[in-house]
Amino acid sequence: MTGTRARTTPSRSPGSRSLHGARNTFYARPESWGTGVGRSLMRSTLSVWAERGTRAGYLWVLERNTRGRDFYRKGGWRQDPTAAPSGSGPDAVEIRYELTGIGTRPGDSAPRARRR
């Protein structure tokens, strides 16, 4: 397995509503980095969220994970300025990212099969 997209849960963020999603885990093995696996997993996640009516998503990424933070930024995620960093120590500080407009951007929804 080169990557995994674990279950999606309601946002753990204060004030979250039912139309918000949150990623629990999102990993691609290092040997698959740069192959498109991560983008494919993200498209799949956004497609499921869009089909469920989710319009905004949140995720937490380790502050020191510059590769991960760059990946999310390239996908349109932005650091949430309203959320204070979280974590249990200096090596575990997490930064919250948000993505809005899910389902309104090209590529967020999976193509539907055509009926005959």
Side-chain angles (χ1 to χ4, degrees):
M1 178 181 295
T2 57
T4 180
R5 172 181 66 92
R7 66 187 173 89
T8 300
T9 62
S11 175
R12 69 176 173 160
S13 304
S16 67
R17 297 177 296 265
S18 61
L19 295 181
H20 291 79
R23 287 286 342 122
N24 275 357
T25 56
F26 190 85
Y27 299 104
R29 297 177 63 103
E31 59 268 20
S32 69
W33 292 349
T35 67
V37 168
R39 286 185 306 275
S40 179
L41 290 169
M42 183 58 71
R43 277 193 305 271
S44 175
T45 297
L46 295 177
S47 176
V48 169
W49 285 1
E51 289 173 6
R52 293 179 180 171
T54 301
R55 295 295 173 250
Y58 297 99
L59 60 82
W60 293 83
V61 61
L62 287 172
E63 184 177 46
R64 62 186 165 92
N65 182 358
T66 56
R67 184 180 186 93
R69 292 174 65 189
D70 287 344
F71 170 80
Y72 294 122
R73 275 193 292 267
K74 288 176 186 175
W77 295 81
R78 298 292 174 251
Q79 186 171 337
D80 182 354
T82 66
S86 175
S88 58
D91 289 334
V93 174
E94 293 180 299
I95 304 297
R96 187 170 92 163
Y97 276 64
E98 65 180 342
L99 180 68
T100 58
I102 296 170
T104 63
R105 303 166 345 139
D108 286 353
S109 299
R112 301 210 181 263
R114 292 174 40 173
R115 292 188 151 192
R116 294 184 180 189

